[in-house]
Amino acid sequence: MKRICLILFFLAASAAAFASEPKLISIETSETQMLLYVQENGEVSFYHYGKKFDRPEQISGYRSYRRWDYGTEPPAYPARGGRYFNQAALAVKYSTGELNTELLYEGHSVRNVSDAAVRTVVSLKDSKTDLSVDLYYDAYQKEDVIVTHAEITNGGRKPVVLESYASSAINIHASRYLLTHFYGSWAREMQVKRELLTPGIKSIRSIKGVRTTHTENPSFMLSLDAAEFNENYGEVIAGALAWSGNYSIDFQIDETEMLSVVSGAGTPGADYQLKPGKTFQTPDMIYTFSAEGAGKASRNLHSWARRHYLYDSSMMCPTLLNNWEGTYFKFNEQILKGIIDNVASMGLEMFVLDDGWFGGKDYPRNGSNQGLGDWQIVEEKLPNGVAAIADYAHSKGLKFGIWIEPEMVNPKSRLAQEHPEWIVGEKGRELTTIRTQWLLDMTNPEVQDFVFGVFDSTMQLAEGIDYIKWDCNRHMENVGSEHLGENQSHFWWDYNQGLYSVYRRIREKYPDVIIQSCSSGGGRLDYGALHYCNEAWTSDNTEALSRVFIQYGTNLIYPAIACGSHVSAVPNHQTQNVTPLKFRFDVACSERLGMELQPSDMTGQEKDFARKAIASFKQYRDLVYYGDLYRLCSPYDGDYYALMYVSEDKKRAVVFTYTIRYQGRTLKPSFKLEGLSDDMEYSIRELNVDKSCFWGDGKTFSGSYLKNFGINPEIPKLYSSAVFYLEAR
Ligand code: DGJ
């Protein structure tokens, strides 16, 4: 016994000595690094996120000269308590009612998690209680991306309440912080807002529970020491939270002019009770740093996402036609077969049947006011079932996809009558509808089974369903769950976890089906959903000019391979704007091309053009999906928008140019190309035209000429556009 006590004493003493030893923790990618530093008192400070410098250990003697009574050095994971006064990542209320947590270093480990990433885990523990936190940092070497999350463990004997539980915090010191973030609404997603941060807190957040990315997206870019956004110069940090529920990303400039960015799921009121022995894992927060402007930050995120995070980006989503804007709810077998004939003859590769095929006998889905929840086909529309449509599409050499909205129920449905206890809401308060529908309670495992079942049975409706469009057309109001009883504040967290657990079950059974994440357009566009879904529907606004802005914003953070873009009819159903078919195609072809209209309304000439544009897209789409994106100018800054994608070996490229405002006869655009090799010779060919608008069409130019002098297509009129294909000779 004595010996055991002695050993325990020595172990405790050496752990304490270990804890107080100053230590540098360097989390490195090929060009960037985060530096954490273990102070003598065991606090772990966040010293640096930026470009890698040599001998990082030089920082070990660093003094900020901050007076300690003005707060601690910025912690790697700030907790409420001690001398920390800024926004906390972690706020814990203990069973005693006590509110303080002071996290101290316990140890750290470093190991390779794959050929691509090195994982550093920093273990922290509260100085008084048995609450501990492990901070995970996965450093993706090649792409300069660091993915972080926290795991909070209640090692005590009583439950604790997590009042905030962010994924991560970083601290930056610069003279200026220019924030780029993404705001909007339905049909106006991912609008770009830029603002210089000032002292105080700027928070981007959503408390809508689901459909959380319409009004703000959980992502940002920060240009450091700069008042202007620049594609090619300056230091830029980009961040994105992989989470489809409530979130907040808080930017706080304190009295030392240091910026802390605290990002995570959960917003005030979403307290989470953590039982003894349990661990709470926060979602991933994804960062990249570029010392060469915003363009590189986007490219880092895109190539990292394609290689490591998106659901199977090796699979190219086929070109498709979706019947929503073509028919809305009014279709039958004959109409759909007619569309399919056109889809095949124009050279598209898939037909997707949207809303309106279900509801059964009692509540046929002839409008948005009924049928959700009752996933039986409407026989009047489809007497031979969905199989007849899918088989017909297959017989024409097409793939087949279908729409579902499994988390929802219309009051007019059998499901609502049979399972009122599954509907989100609080007894004694109004059950509000949005688009005449209610939300199902995904915190409840029975509902999760039901939602999985909707997906599963839809997959059985026909042989070979290749694609599911998963929609979600309302957010949460007056939340409440019968299932959660007294733990109502768990609702938002558990809902999203319920959704993800269904996604996981689906992926186990259906690894190859393509899933599109849609939520009234871009309401569920985040890396959390894209981890399970192959792509997102970025907006219900299919009008090409609006799309230029939506796509520009979206592709700052999310890669084109994960973004569907459809050519629709004019006047556009959302904006009434009329744009030329070529402009519409040229815009849609810069993401995953599709169409969304009734092709029988198109003229023969329009169909011929569509056929050509679709054929040419197929030749270069690998560039759009897997190439490096270079934005040649911004639609917010002038009268034109231009972007290009370059293959990894720099041997091929595609350039898109658009006139988005009329500028009279004198202003002529010229675009310096990027990403090409100086030493290669490129042939340049304009696509989708009989007569080119560029004098250099068909010629060969050096990469250095194209980068330094550029091209000047004549695109003088509003909605003129030109697409060029470049190939190294
Ligand atoms: C909203 C989606 O964003 C649309 O594309 C369409 O699928 C409708 N829902 C169908 O109700």
Side-chain angles (χ1 to χ4, degrees), residues 324 329 354-355 365 403 435 469 471 473 518 520-521 537 540 596:
W324 178 241
F329 296 101
D354 210 279
D355 196 353
R365 180 86 170 162
W403 180 99
R435 208 190 189 215
K469 173 174 175 179
D471 207 344
N473 284 301
C518 169
S520 312
W537 179 228
D540 275 351
E596 189 158 328

Side-chain angles (χ1 to χ4, degrees), residues 363 370-374 409-418:
Y363 298 103
Q370 64 178 30
L372 279 174
D374 298 353
V409 60
N410 283 124
K412 283 188 174 176
S413 66
R414 279 193 290 121
L415 183 73
Q417 290 148 23
E418 283 162 18

